[in-house]
mmCIF file of all heavy atoms in Angstrom:
data_model
loop_
_atom_site.group_PDB
_atom_site.id
_atom_site.type_symbol
_atom_site.label_atom_id
_atom_site.label_comp_id
_atom_site.label_asym_id
_atom_site.label_seq_id
_atom_site.Cartn_x
_atom_site.Cartn_y
_atom_site.Cartn_z
ATOM 1 N N LYS A 1 -48.908 -3.171 23.324
ATOM 2 C CA LYS A 1 -47.647 -2.665 22.728
ATOM 3 C C LYS A 1 -47.810 -1.218 22.395
ATOM 4 O O LYS A 1 -48.861 -0.717 21.904
ATOM 5 C CB LYS A 1 -47.330 -3.461 21.428
ATOM 6 C CG LYS A 1 -47.124 -4.914 21.682
ATOM 7 C CD LYS A 1 -45.907 -5.186 22.493
ATOM 8 C CE LYS A 1 -45.711 -6.729 22.605
ATOM 9 N NZ LYS A 1 -44.678 -7.027 23.505
ATOM 10 N N SER A 2 -46.707 -0.459 22.590
ATOM 11 C CA SER A 2 -46.669 0.987 22.308
ATOM 12 C C SER A 2 -46.257 1.143 20.846
ATOM 13 O O SER A 2 -45.562 0.352 20.234
ATOM 14 C CB SER A 2 -45.626 1.631 23.081
ATOM 15 O OG SER A 2 -45.385 2.910 22.800
ATOM 16 N N ASP A 3 -46.856 2.347 20.166
ATOM 17 C CA ASP A 3 -46.476 2.676 18.961
ATOM 18 C C ASP A 3 -45.022 3.090 18.824
ATOM 19 O O ASP A 3 -44.370 2.985 17.710
ATOM 20 C CB ASP A 3 -47.429 3.681 18.359
ATOM 21 C CG ASP A 3 -48.811 3.169 18.091
ATOM 22 O OD1 ASP A 3 -49.038 1.969 17.936
ATOM 23 O OD2 ASP A 3 -49.695 4.017 18.178
ATOM 24 N N ASP A 4 -44.455 3.702 19.955
ATOM 25 C CA ASP A 4 -43.122 4.273 19.944
ATOM 26 C C ASP A 4 -42.469 3.723 21.169
ATOM 27 O O ASP A 4 -42.373 4.578 22.250
ATOM 28 C CB ASP A 4 -43.310 5.823 19.862
ATOM 29 C CG ASP A 4 -41.846 6.398 19.729
ATOM 30 O OD1 ASP A 4 -40.928 5.654 19.356
ATOM 31 O OD2 ASP A 4 -41.721 7.571 19.856
ATOM 32 N N PRO A 5 -42.132 2.412 21.329
ATOM 33 C CA PRO A 5 -41.528 2.006 22.518
ATOM 34 C C PRO A 5 -40.248 2.599 23.033
ATOM 35 O O PRO A 5 -39.456 3.086 22.182
ATOM 36 C CB PRO A 5 -41.288 0.424 22.173
ATOM 37 C CG PRO A 5 -41.116 0.423 20.783
ATOM 38 C CD PRO A 5 -41.981 1.577 20.225
ATOM 39 N N MET A 6 -40.033 2.792 24.268
ATOM 40 C CA MET A 6 -38.707 3.333 24.721
ATOM 41 C C MET A 6 -37.891 2.189 25.140
ATOM 42 O O MET A 6 -37.840 1.852 26.327
ATOM 43 C CB MET A 6 -39.163 4.165 26.024
ATOM 44 C CG MET A 6 -39.785 5.535 25.623
ATOM 45 S SD MET A 6 -40.068 6.540 27.077
ATOM 46 C CE MET A 6 -41.434 5.882 27.833
ATOM 47 N N ASP A 7 -37.103 1.582 24.151
ATOM 48 C CA ASP A 7 -36.326 0.520 24.459
ATOM 49 C C ASP A 7 -34.809 0.864 24.344
ATOM 50 O O ASP A 7 -34.085 -0.089 24.377
ATOM 51 C CB ASP A 7 -36.665 -0.567 23.477
ATOM 52 C CG ASP A 7 -36.535 -0.153 21.962
ATOM 53 O OD1 ASP A 7 -36.236 1.017 21.785
ATOM 54 O OD2 ASP A 7 -36.671 -1.085 21.126
ATOM 55 N N LYS A 8 -34.507 2.124 24.226
ATOM 56 C CA LYS A 8 -33.093 2.476 24.244
ATOM 57 C C LYS A 8 -32.716 3.032 25.576
ATOM 58 O O LYS A 8 -33.392 3.782 26.257
ATOM 59 C CB LYS A 8 -32.849 3.663 23.162
ATOM 60 C CG LYS A 8 -33.287 3.264 21.892
ATOM 61 C CD LYS A 8 -32.481 2.160 21.216
ATOM 62 C CE LYS A 8 -32.932 1.702 19.810
ATOM 63 N NZ LYS A 8 -32.954 0.359 19.551
ATOM 64 N N LYS A 9 -31.628 2.576 26.159
ATOM 65 C CA LYS A 9 -31.097 2.922 27.376
ATOM 66 C C LYS A 9 -29.591 3.616 27.221
ATOM 67 O O LYS A 9 -28.814 3.165 26.414
ATOM 68 C CB LYS A 9 -31.052 1.770 28.423
ATOM 69 C CG LYS A 9 -32.377 1.330 28.813
ATOM 70 C CD LYS A 9 -32.131 0.205 29.760
ATOM 71 C CE LYS A 9 -33.524 -0.347 30.174
ATOM 72 N NZ LYS A 9 -33.532 -1.442 31.202
ATOM 73 N N ILE A 10 -29.431 4.622 28.068
ATOM 74 C CA ILE A 10 -28.071 5.224 28.054
ATOM 75 C C ILE A 10 -27.636 5.311 29.620
ATOM 76 O O ILE A 10 -28.468 5.334 30.521
ATOM 77 C CB ILE A 10 -27.902 6.558 27.433
ATOM 78 C CG1 ILE A 10 -28.851 7.614 28.099
ATOM 79 C CG2 ILE A 10 -28.377 6.451 25.989
ATOM 80 C CD1 ILE A 10 -28.669 9.015 27.703
ATOM 81 N N SER A 11 -26.323 5.523 29.773
ATOM 82 C CA SER A 11 -25.755 5.717 31.143
ATOM 83 C C SER A 11 -24.939 6.951 31.072
ATOM 84 O O SER A 11 -24.239 7.054 30.126
ATOM 85 C CB SER A 11 -24.963 4.549 31.578
ATOM 86 O OG SER A 11 -24.453 4.725 32.766
ATOM 87 N N VAL A 12 -25.107 7.776 32.021
ATOM 88 C CA VAL A 12 -24.495 9.087 32.056
ATOM 89 C C VAL A 12 -23.890 9.319 33.478
ATOM 90 O O VAL A 12 -24.471 9.053 34.582
ATOM 91 C CB VAL A 12 -25.393 10.325 31.865
ATOM 92 C CG1 VAL A 12 -24.743 11.683 31.928
ATOM 93 C CG2 VAL A 12 -26.182 10.082 30.463
ATOM 94 N N ARG A 13 -22.634 9.680 33.562
ATOM 95 C CA ARG A 13 -21.964 9.963 34.792
ATOM 96 C C ARG A 13 -21.880 11.437 34.979
ATOM 97 O O ARG A 13 -21.607 12.227 34.165
ATOM 98 C CB ARG A 13 -20.480 9.471 34.628
ATOM 99 C CG ARG A 13 -20.547 7.812 34.655
ATOM 100 C CD ARG A 13 -19.131 7.276 34.389
ATOM 101 N NE ARG A 13 -18.258 7.635 35.518
ATOM 102 C CZ ARG A 13 -17.575 6.720 36.185
ATOM 103 N NH1 ARG A 13 -17.576 5.476 35.848
ATOM 104 N NH2 ARG A 13 -16.809 7.153 37.174
ATOM 105 N N PHE A 14 -22.206 11.829 36.214
ATOM 106 C CA PHE A 14 -22.339 13.185 36.687
ATOM 107 C C PHE A 14 -21.313 13.487 37.872
ATOM 108 O O PHE A 14 -21.088 12.532 38.675
ATOM 109 C CB PHE A 14 -23.687 13.633 37.141
ATOM 110 C CG PHE A 14 -24.739 13.665 36.086
ATOM 111 C CD1 PHE A 14 -25.616 12.651 35.914
ATOM 112 C CD2 PHE A 14 -24.823 14.760 35.187
ATOM 113 C CE1 PHE A 14 -26.656 12.599 34.995
ATOM 114 C CE2 PHE A 14 -25.822 14.738 34.266
ATOM 115 C CZ PHE A 14 -26.622 13.745 34.190
ATOM 116 N N THR A 15 -20.756 14.607 37.909
ATOM 117 C CA THR A 15 -20.106 15.057 39.077
ATOM 118 C C THR A 15 -21.032 15.324 40.152
ATOM 119 O O THR A 15 -22.209 15.387 39.922
ATOM 120 C CB THR A 15 -19.295 16.416 38.928
ATOM 121 O OG1 THR A 15 -20.141 17.394 38.553
ATOM 122 C CG2 THR A 15 -18.225 16.225 37.772
ATOM 123 N N ASN A 16 -20.542 15.375 41.446
ATOM 124 C CA ASN A 16 -21.548 15.664 42.528
ATOM 125 C C ASN A 16 -22.279 17.095 42.291
ATOM 126 O O ASN A 16 -23.553 17.095 42.546
ATOM 127 C CB ASN A 16 -20.705 15.704 43.957
ATOM 128 C CG ASN A 16 -20.638 14.418 44.521
ATOM 129 O OD1 ASN A 16 -21.412 13.432 44.127
ATOM 130 N ND2 ASN A 16 -19.672 14.234 45.430
ATOM 131 N N GLU A 17 -21.519 17.972 41.762
ATOM 132 C CA GLU A 17 -22.125 19.310 41.505
ATOM 133 C C GLU A 17 -23.220 19.177 40.520
ATOM 134 O O GLU A 17 -24.275 19.801 40.538
ATOM 135 C CB GLU A 17 -21.075 20.348 41.110
ATOM 136 C CG GLU A 17 -21.617 21.687 40.842
ATOM 137 C CD GLU A 17 -20.439 22.654 40.379
ATOM 138 O OE1 GLU A 17 -19.346 22.221 40.199
ATOM 139 O OE2 GLU A 17 -20.805 23.853 40.404
ATOM 140 N N GLU A 18 -22.932 18.622 39.427
ATOM 141 C CA GLU A 18 -23.895 18.450 38.348
ATOM 142 C C GLU A 18 -25.081 17.697 38.793
ATOM 143 O O GLU A 18 -26.127 18.075 38.468
ATOM 144 C CB GLU A 18 -23.263 17.611 37.088
ATOM 145 C CG GLU A 18 -22.134 18.456 36.410
ATOM 146 C CD GLU A 18 -21.297 17.573 35.475
ATOM 147 O OE1 GLU A 18 -21.248 16.337 35.642
ATOM 148 O OE2 GLU A 18 -20.802 18.140 34.583
ATOM 149 N N TYR A 19 -24.922 16.670 39.543
ATOM 150 C CA TYR A 19 -25.990 15.807 40.041
ATOM 151 C C TYR A 19 -26.823 16.663 40.898
ATOM 152 O O TYR A 19 -28.076 16.624 40.793
ATOM 153 C CB TYR A 19 -25.540 14.533 40.663
ATOM 154 C CG TYR A 19 -26.654 13.661 41.106
ATOM 155 C CD1 TYR A 19 -27.428 12.959 40.119
ATOM 156 C CD2 TYR A 19 -26.822 13.387 42.404
ATOM 157 C CE1 TYR A 19 -28.411 12.160 40.578
ATOM 158 C CE2 TYR A 19 -27.900 12.495 42.823
ATOM 159 C CZ TYR A 19 -28.756 11.899 41.803
ATOM 160 O OH TYR A 19 -29.707 11.137 42.119
ATOM 161 N N GLU A 20 -26.251 17.443 41.896
ATOM 162 C CA GLU A 20 -27.016 18.351 42.765
ATOM 163 C C GLU A 20 -27.894 19.369 41.967
ATOM 164 O O GLU A 20 -28.979 19.610 42.318
ATOM 165 C CB GLU A 20 -26.150 18.895 43.850
ATOM 166 C CG GLU A 20 -25.603 17.977 44.746
ATOM 167 C CD GLU A 20 -26.631 17.255 45.543
ATOM 168 O OE1 GLU A 20 -27.712 17.829 46.027
ATOM 169 O OE2 GLU A 20 -26.342 15.948 45.897
ATOM 170 N N ILE A 21 -27.280 19.837 40.975
ATOM 171 C CA ILE A 21 -27.961 20.838 40.151
ATOM 172 C C ILE A 21 -29.121 20.304 39.541
ATOM 173 O O ILE A 21 -30.306 20.781 39.424
ATOM 174 C CB ILE A 21 -27.002 21.490 39.106
ATOM 175 C CG1 ILE A 21 -26.017 22.417 39.810
ATOM 176 C CG2 ILE A 21 -27.778 22.309 38.163
ATOM 177 C CD1 ILE A 21 -24.885 22.849 38.912
ATOM 178 N N LEU A 22 -28.927 19.043 38.932
ATOM 179 C CA LEU A 22 -30.061 18.394 38.258
ATOM 180 C C LEU A 22 -31.190 18.027 39.255
ATOM 181 O O LEU A 22 -32.279 18.248 39.008
ATOM 182 C CB LEU A 22 -29.471 16.998 37.670
ATOM 183 C CG LEU A 22 -30.560 16.105 36.990
ATOM 184 C CD1 LEU A 22 -31.339 16.815 35.824
ATOM 185 C CD2 LEU A 22 -29.849 14.959 36.404
ATOM 186 N N LEU A 23 -30.801 17.541 40.503
ATOM 187 C CA LEU A 23 -31.830 17.198 41.464
ATOM 188 C C LEU A 23 -32.644 18.453 41.930
ATOM 189 O O LEU A 23 -33.879 18.391 42.104
ATOM 190 C CB LEU A 23 -31.189 16.547 42.720
ATOM 191 C CG LEU A 23 -30.667 15.164 42.503
ATOM 192 C CD1 LEU A 23 -30.059 14.647 43.847
ATOM 193 C CD2 LEU A 23 -31.756 14.239 42.207
ATOM 194 N N GLU A 24 -31.890 19.490 42.130
ATOM 195 C CA GLU A 24 -32.519 20.801 42.528
ATOM 196 C C GLU A 24 -33.546 21.336 41.514
ATOM 197 O O GLU A 24 -34.520 21.699 41.835
ATOM 198 C CB GLU A 24 -31.524 21.938 42.815
ATOM 199 C CG GLU A 24 -32.018 23.135 43.462
ATOM 200 C CD GLU A 24 -32.501 22.895 44.864
ATOM 201 O OE1 GLU A 24 -32.122 22.043 45.542
ATOM 202 O OE2 GLU A 24 -33.384 23.744 45.207
ATOM 203 N N TYR A 25 -33.102 21.099 40.237
ATOM 204 C CA TYR A 25 -33.953 21.662 39.108
ATOM 205 C C TYR A 25 -35.187 20.818 39.131
ATOM 206 O O TYR A 25 -36.327 21.316 38.897
ATOM 207 C CB TYR A 25 -33.179 21.573 37.727
ATOM 208 C CG TYR A 25 -33.965 22.078 36.640
ATOM 209 C CD1 TYR A 25 -34.095 23.315 36.282
ATOM 210 C CD2 TYR A 25 -34.800 21.257 35.863
ATOM 211 C CE1 TYR A 25 -34.873 23.851 35.246
ATOM 212 C CE2 TYR A 25 -35.637 21.579 34.817
ATOM 213 C CZ TYR A 25 -35.649 22.964 34.507
ATOM 214 O OH TYR A 25 -36.352 23.361 33.596
ATOM 215 N N ALA A 26 -35.064 19.512 39.067
ATOM 216 C CA ALA A 26 -36.142 18.471 39.083
ATOM 217 C C ALA A 26 -37.136 18.810 40.245
ATOM 218 O O ALA A 26 -38.319 18.747 40.029
ATOM 219 C CB ALA A 26 -35.667 17.100 39.109
ATOM 220 N N LYS A 27 -36.611 18.932 41.398
ATOM 221 C CA LYS A 27 -37.407 19.303 42.656
ATOM 222 C C LYS A 27 -38.252 20.563 42.365
ATOM 223 O O LYS A 27 -39.423 20.641 42.701
ATOM 224 C CB LYS A 27 -36.588 19.314 43.805
ATOM 225 C CG LYS A 27 -37.344 19.561 45.039
ATOM 226 C CD LYS A 27 -36.453 19.554 46.169
ATOM 227 C CE LYS A 27 -37.240 19.980 47.507
ATOM 228 N NZ LYS A 27 -36.278 20.299 48.660
ATOM 229 N N ASN A 28 -37.518 21.632 42.001
ATOM 230 C CA ASN A 28 -38.149 22.952 41.936
ATOM 231 C C ASN A 28 -39.271 23.023 40.805
ATOM 232 O O ASN A 28 -40.209 23.800 40.945
ATOM 233 C CB ASN A 28 -37.134 23.988 41.588
ATOM 234 C CG ASN A 28 -36.248 24.333 42.737
ATOM 235 O OD1 ASN A 28 -36.557 24.072 43.954
ATOM 236 N ND2 ASN A 28 -35.110 24.954 42.489
ATOM 237 N N HIS A 29 -39.091 22.067 39.784
ATOM 238 C CA HIS A 29 -40.112 22.109 38.708
ATOM 239 C C HIS A 29 -41.042 20.941 38.817
ATOM 240 O O HIS A 29 -41.708 20.609 37.899
ATOM 241 C CB HIS A 29 -39.311 22.100 37.340
ATOM 242 C CG HIS A 29 -38.754 23.417 37.051
ATOM 243 N ND1 HIS A 29 -37.365 23.664 37.563
ATOM 244 C CD2 HIS A 29 -39.048 24.530 36.438
ATOM 245 C CE1 HIS A 29 -37.126 24.961 37.208
ATOM 246 N NE2 HIS A 29 -38.088 25.326 36.560
ATOM 247 N N GLU A 30 -40.983 20.147 39.904
ATOM 248 C CA GLU A 30 -41.756 19.009 40.117
ATOM 249 C C GLU A 30 -41.725 18.043 39.081
ATOM 250 O O GLU A 30 -42.745 17.537 38.579
ATOM 251 C CB GLU A 30 -43.361 19.442 40.475
ATOM 252 C CG GLU A 30 -43.458 20.381 41.763
ATOM 253 C CD GLU A 30 -44.837 20.718 41.912
ATOM 254 O OE1 GLU A 30 -45.750 20.417 41.157
ATOM 255 O OE2 GLU A 30 -45.035 21.430 43.043
ATOM 256 N N LEU A 31 -40.471 17.609 38.715
ATOM 257 C CA LEU A 31 -40.161 16.664 37.682
ATOM 258 C C LEU A 31 -39.399 15.528 38.246
ATOM 259 O O LEU A 31 -38.703 15.743 39.289
ATOM 260 C CB LEU A 31 -39.439 17.392 36.557
ATOM 261 C CG LEU A 31 -40.020 18.512 35.754
ATOM 262 C CD1 LEU A 31 -38.949 19.060 34.843
ATOM 263 C CD2 LEU A 31 -41.201 17.963 34.991
ATOM 264 N N SER A 32 -39.414 14.290 37.647
ATOM 265 C CA SER A 32 -38.427 13.299 37.958
ATOM 266 C C SER A 32 -37.072 13.701 37.354
ATOM 267 O O SER A 32 -37.105 14.637 36.459
ATOM 268 C CB SER A 32 -39.005 12.028 37.375
ATOM 269 O OG SER A 32 -38.965 11.843 36.088
ATOM 270 N N VAL A 33 -36.121 13.125 37.656
ATOM 271 C CA VAL A 33 -34.764 13.399 37.060
ATOM 272 C C VAL A 33 -34.792 12.985 35.671
ATOM 273 O O VAL A 33 -34.454 13.785 34.759
ATOM 274 C CB VAL A 33 -33.600 12.584 37.898
ATOM 275 C CG1 VAL A 33 -32.326 12.729 37.050
ATOM 276 C CG2 VAL A 33 -33.458 13.030 39.224
ATOM 277 N N THR A 34 -35.538 11.929 35.303
ATOM 278 C CA THR A 34 -35.542 11.486 33.838
ATOM 279 C C THR A 34 -36.270 12.483 33.067
ATOM 280 O O THR A 34 -36.008 12.692 31.942
ATOM 281 C CB THR A 34 -36.296 10.076 33.796
ATOM 282 O OG1 THR A 34 -35.673 9.101 34.522
ATOM 283 C CG2 THR A 34 -36.505 9.629 32.386
ATOM 284 N N GLN A 35 -37.501 12.920 33.594
ATOM 285 C CA GLN A 35 -38.246 13.988 32.909
ATOM 286 C C GLN A 35 -37.417 15.281 32.727
ATOM 287 O O GLN A 35 -37.585 15.849 31.648
ATOM 288 C CB GLN A 35 -39.545 14.338 33.708
ATOM 289 C CG GLN A 35 -40.571 13.327 33.737
ATOM 290 C CD GLN A 35 -41.729 13.603 34.614
ATOM 291 O OE1 GLN A 35 -41.383 14.104 35.758
ATOM 292 N NE2 GLN A 35 -42.824 13.208 34.306
ATOM 293 N N ALA A 36 -36.586 15.663 33.621
ATOM 294 C CA ALA A 36 -35.869 16.914 33.606
ATOM 295 C C ALA A 36 -34.713 16.645 32.476
ATOM 296 O O ALA A 36 -34.485 17.585 31.669
ATOM 297 C CB ALA A 36 -35.156 17.162 34.881
ATOM 298 N N ILE A 37 -34.105 15.533 32.434
ATOM 299 C CA ILE A 37 -33.093 15.177 31.394
ATOM 300 C C ILE A 37 -33.764 15.245 30.104
ATOM 301 O O ILE A 37 -33.319 15.816 29.030
ATOM 302 C CB ILE A 37 -32.460 13.860 31.726
ATOM 303 C CG1 ILE A 37 -31.554 14.122 32.931
ATOM 304 C CG2 ILE A 37 -31.580 13.446 30.394
ATOM 305 C CD1 ILE A 37 -30.973 12.798 33.425
ATOM 306 N N LYS A 38 -34.833 14.529 29.885
ATOM 307 C CA LYS A 38 -35.586 14.549 28.540
ATOM 308 C C LYS A 38 -36.062 15.865 28.163
ATOM 309 O O LYS A 38 -35.901 16.191 26.931
ATOM 310 C CB LYS A 38 -36.781 13.563 28.571
ATOM 311 C CG LYS A 38 -36.432 12.127 28.662
ATOM 312 C CD LYS A 38 -37.579 11.183 28.731
ATOM 313 C CE LYS A 38 -37.476 9.948 27.987
ATOM 314 N NZ LYS A 38 -38.706 9.165 27.806
ATOM 315 N N MET A 39 -36.544 16.650 29.155
ATOM 316 C CA MET A 39 -36.973 18.069 28.813
ATOM 317 C C MET A 39 -35.847 18.877 28.243
ATOM 318 O O MET A 39 -35.917 19.544 27.257
ATOM 319 C CB MET A 39 -37.681 18.729 29.910
ATOM 320 C CG MET A 39 -38.330 20.044 29.621
ATOM 321 S SD MET A 39 -39.041 20.819 31.066
ATOM 322 C CE MET A 39 -37.642 21.263 31.966
ATOM 323 N N SER A 40 -34.717 18.664 28.888
ATOM 324 C CA SER A 40 -33.495 19.538 28.541
ATOM 325 C C SER A 40 -33.039 19.053 27.085
ATOM 326 O O SER A 40 -32.719 19.905 26.353
ATOM 327 C CB SER A 40 -32.426 19.328 29.584
ATOM 328 O OG SER A 40 -31.244 19.888 29.293
ATOM 329 N N LEU A 41 -33.043 17.806 26.872
ATOM 330 C CA LEU A 41 -32.712 17.314 25.641
ATOM 331 C C LEU A 41 -33.653 17.915 24.456
ATOM 332 O O LEU A 41 -33.079 18.360 23.454
ATOM 333 C CB LEU A 41 -32.878 15.738 25.536
ATOM 334 C CG LEU A 41 -32.684 15.224 24.124
ATOM 335 C CD1 LEU A 41 -31.200 15.123 23.780
ATOM 336 C CD2 LEU A 41 -33.322 13.739 24.104
ATOM 337 N N ARG A 42 -34.905 17.927 24.742
ATOM 338 C CA ARG A 42 -35.831 18.395 23.730
ATOM 339 C C ARG A 42 -35.633 19.952 23.531
ATOM 340 O O ARG A 42 -35.576 20.432 22.411
ATOM 341 C CB ARG A 42 -37.148 18.152 24.091
ATOM 342 C CG ARG A 42 -37.743 16.785 23.957
ATOM 343 C CD ARG A 42 -39.195 16.552 24.187
ATOM 344 N NE ARG A 42 -39.526 15.229 24.371
ATOM 345 C CZ ARG A 42 -39.649 14.598 25.519
ATOM 346 N NH1 ARG A 42 -39.509 15.276 26.615
ATOM 347 N NH2 ARG A 42 -39.880 13.354 25.590
ATOM 348 N N MET A 43 -35.474 20.730 24.602
ATOM 349 C CA MET A 43 -35.338 22.146 24.557
ATOM 350 C C MET A 43 -34.055 22.499 23.869
ATOM 351 O O MET A 43 -33.983 23.415 23.160
ATOM 352 C CB MET A 43 -35.348 22.712 25.902
ATOM 353 C CG MET A 43 -36.762 22.749 26.592
ATOM 354 S SD MET A 43 -36.895 23.334 28.216
ATOM 355 C CE MET A 43 -35.666 24.379 28.592
ATOM 356 N N ASN A 44 -32.849 21.923 24.223
ATOM 357 C CA ASN A 44 -31.531 22.305 23.922
ATOM 358 C C ASN A 44 -31.091 21.692 22.472
ATOM 359 O O ASN A 44 -30.582 22.408 21.644
ATOM 360 C CB ASN A 44 -30.579 22.030 25.005
ATOM 361 C CG ASN A 44 -30.844 22.863 26.129
ATOM 362 O OD1 ASN A 44 -30.940 24.170 25.996
ATOM 363 N ND2 ASN A 44 -30.882 22.260 27.290
ATOM 364 N N ILE A 45 -31.145 20.352 22.320
ATOM 365 C CA ILE A 45 -30.663 19.752 21.229
ATOM 366 C C ILE A 45 -31.694 19.724 20.097
ATOM 367 O O ILE A 45 -31.250 20.121 18.966
ATOM 368 C CB ILE A 45 -30.239 18.363 21.509
ATOM 369 C CG1 ILE A 45 -29.034 18.347 22.540
ATOM 370 C CG2 ILE A 45 -29.814 17.537 20.307
ATOM 371 C CD1 ILE A 45 -28.645 16.955 23.058
ATOM 372 N N LEU A 46 -32.807 19.286 20.226
ATOM 373 C CA LEU A 46 -33.883 19.093 19.142
ATOM 374 C C LEU A 46 -34.249 20.494 18.602
ATOM 375 O O LEU A 46 -34.473 20.481 17.439
ATOM 376 C CB LEU A 46 -35.004 18.249 19.595
ATOM 377 C CG LEU A 46 -34.587 16.850 20.053
ATOM 378 C CD1 LEU A 46 -35.879 16.064 20.596
ATOM 379 C CD2 LEU A 46 -33.939 16.045 19.012
ATOM 380 N N SER A 47 -34.321 21.453 19.491
ATOM 381 C CA SER A 47 -34.808 22.710 18.953
ATOM 382 C C SER A 47 -33.736 23.364 18.057
ATOM 383 O O SER A 47 -34.097 24.172 17.190
ATOM 384 C CB SER A 47 -35.004 23.689 20.120
ATOM 385 O OG SER A 47 -33.850 24.125 20.876
#
């Protein structure tokens, strides 16, 4: 068992343009889409 389980799920709808931007960013930075979204959350909201 994890000390901090990831048991919360969300669903987000993107336009084609937004999705392509996200995919390109993730590819250029060698991240998964999930990692790119989580990193953006930490950098923009939590900071």
